[in-house]
Amino acid sequence: MKKYLVTGGAGFIGSNLAFALEGERKAGVTVLDDFSSGNYKNLVGFTGDIIAGDIRSRDWFDKAGPADAIFHEAAITDTTVTDQRKMMEVNVDGFRNVLDYALKSGVKRVVYASSAAVYGNGHCPMREEQTPAPENIYGFSKAVMDNVAREFAAAHEEMTLVGLRYFNVYGPREYYKGNPASMMFHLYNQMKAGKRPRIFKFGEQLRDFVYVKDIVRGNLNALDAEKSCICNLASGKPGNFNEVIEALNKALGSDLAPEYFENPYSFYQNKTQADLRRTRALLNYRPEWSLEDGIADYVKVLKKDWK
Ligand SMILES: NC(=O)c1ccc[n+]([C@@H]2O[C@H](COP(=O)([O-])OP(=O)(O)OC[C@H]3O[C@@H](n4cnc5c(N)ncnc54)[C@H](O)[C@@H]3O)[C@@H](O)[C@H]2O)c1
């Protein structure tokens, strides 16, 4: 039986991944999480082991057994956090610890979560080789993680490191993230309560929204990557905020018009779109979920699991 360690496994993406590894791959899974933004409710039904630990320390090294690969999802994920030192300590120093653990325990493959935030308002479609232009400390920390990974992979050729730059992910088990949860989740809650969905004027901002099932697929494909790499993980087809509301109305059987309000942010990404050529070539990744289908599937789960 294959064994995997999932850091951040009590969080949104980590828990979806933990269940897929257990269910689809019939693997043994250990989750490492400090439960700072994750929630045990995401793991109800999970049959693996759970270590309550902080990636900033090495206290968990002795508890985590050998693994065939590590999926590293643990991070400060709230992009509005401005404490630079804390962001760097968790996201970058924590990543170094995870890599060190892999080295010490003979784990040959590490798949880790990077982010489209490294591109900031950079050129679209965003390509992995363009110069990072992060606009906040979160994006900066992810760009530094990518630097650390490149250097580590070059120094340890026997290991495979796959960095996945997720774009805007939405889907089941993001319920405990609070504000940083996707706009699909927030708008669903408003619309379910019969309120008009509130979005920034005039809803034409474009995002490369990607359903969490495609993110899980990309991670599983990374188990077969032949070499270390950094790849975008997205749908490749941006949708705008008005289209999100249209798809939610369709899935909910409602007809609620958007209520537009002034965008209060001085910095805002008006468009994100991933170039997926490298991901297709190196990870054999093909996104399966369109915005409309992803939202329809998500709303079915929300109706059952959330309200
Ligand atoms: N959701 C998105 O749209 C998105 C986009 C780009 C990148 N990412 C990245 O994907 C990964 C997973 O994000 P998510 O959306 O599931 O967020 P999440 O906040 O739900 O998950 C992060 C998990 O990490 C845990 N964690 C935080 N600090 C920790 C620490 N010091 N030690 C141990 N565990 C710790 C949290 O408790 C949580 O369970 C993150 O690395 C994030 O930066 C997410």
Side-chain angles (χ1 to χ4, degrees):
M1 187 200 249
K2 296 273 189 202
K3 293 220 160 220
Y4 300 111
L5 176 68
V6 181
T7 74
F12 164 37
I13 295 167
S15 58
N16 279 287
L17 192 52
F19 278 109
L21 289 165
E22 232 181 35
E24 242 180 75
R25 297 284 167 123
K26 311 286 173 228
V29 182
T30 297
V31 158
L32 167 70
D33 205 294
D34 74 349
F35 294 89
S36 52
S37 63
N39 195 300
Y40 78 91
K41 290 182 186 166
N42 281 333
L43 289 172
V44 172
F46 173 65
T47 60
D49 197 359
I50 298 176
I51 303 168
D54 189 328
I55 52 168
R56 282 172 295 185
S57 87
R58 292 162 175 238
D59 298 348
W60 51 272
F61 276 29
D62 289 339
K63 295 181 199 151
D68 291 280
I70 299 172
F71 292 93
H72 176 54
E73 306 299 320
I76 293 181
T77 56
D78 184 345
T79 58
T80 63
V81 168
T82 53
D83 184 335
Q84 301 181 52
R85 179 163 180 170
K86 189 171 179 207
M87 185 73 80
M88 295 303 280
E89 279 175 358
V90 174
N91 292 7
V92 182
D93 293 343
F95 182 44
R96 273 195 208 96
N97 280 339
V98 170
L99 292 177
D100 199 36
Y101 171 75
L103 199 60
K104 288 199 162 68
S105 57
V107 180
K108 294 278 180 279
R109 186 173 293 264
V110 179
V111 182
Y112 72 92
S114 182
S115 171
V118 304
Y119 298 118
N121 253 333
H123 176 264
C124 272
M126 289 146 166
R127 301 196 65 180
E128 294 87 345
E129 58 268 39
Q130 79 196 46
T131 307
E135 298 270 0
N136 54 28
I137 184 64
Y138 169 78
F140 181 78
S141 74
K142 292 285 172 181
V144 177
M145 282 175 71
D146 288 342
N147 296 343
V148 168
R150 279 191 208 95
E151 212 169 288
F152 190 90
H156 304 281
E157 284 181 357
E158 73 286 4
M159 294 179 66
T160 308
L161 262 64
V162 180
L164 300 172
R165 288 182 177 166
Y166 306 160
F167 279 59
N168 288 74
V169 192
Y170 65 97
R173 299 195 180 93
E174 62 170 318
Y175 321 135
Y176 309 102
K177 286 185 67 167
N179 255 346
S182 73
M183 70 184 301
M184 284 72 173
F185 181 63
H186 292 298
L187 294 174
Y188 168 86
N189 285 322
Q190 293 167 22
M191 294 167 78
K192 194 80 177 73
K195 293 185 191 140
R196 283 175 64 188
R198 283 172 55 79
I199 52 173
F200 296 152
K201 283 182 181 171
F202 283 100
E204 281 144 1
Q205 304 85 340
L206 285 157
R207 285 282 176 284
D208 195 325
F209 293 114
V210 52
Y211 195 38
V212 70
K213 289 186 180 175
D214 275 331
I215 293 288
V216 166
R217 181 75 34 229
N219 272 275
L220 296 180
N221 286 10
L223 287 173
D224 300 319
E226 285 171 11
K227 59 176 183 183
S228 293
C229 54
I230 293 169
C231 294
N232 290 333
L233 207 53
S235 68
K237 294 202 175 78
N240 73 31
F241 296 0
N242 291 320
E243 286 165 342
V244 169
I245 291 175
E246 224 173 88
L248 281 166
N249 266 323
K250 197 168 168 197
L252 282 162
S254 54
D255 189 18
L256 292 158
E259 188 183 317
Y260 298 113
F261 66 103
E262 219 54 73
N263 181 349
Y265 297 109
S266 52
F267 160 72
Y268 201 69
Q269 282 176 305
N270 280 320
K271 180 175 181 187
T272 63
Q273 179 180 12
D275 185 315
L276 289 176
R277 276 175 287 181
R278 186 189 287 185
T279 327
R280 264 196 296 273
L282 299 183
L283 303 184
N284 193 25
Y285 168 79
R286 308 273 183 288
E288 286 172 11
W289 292 89
S290 67
L291 184 62
E292 193 179 325
D293 292 348
I295 288 178
D297 191 70
Y298 186 20
V299 167
K300 265 193 236 152
V301 181
L302 280 165
K303 280 182 178 165
K304 190 163 62 63
D305 287 357
W306 186 240
K307 305 180 193 156

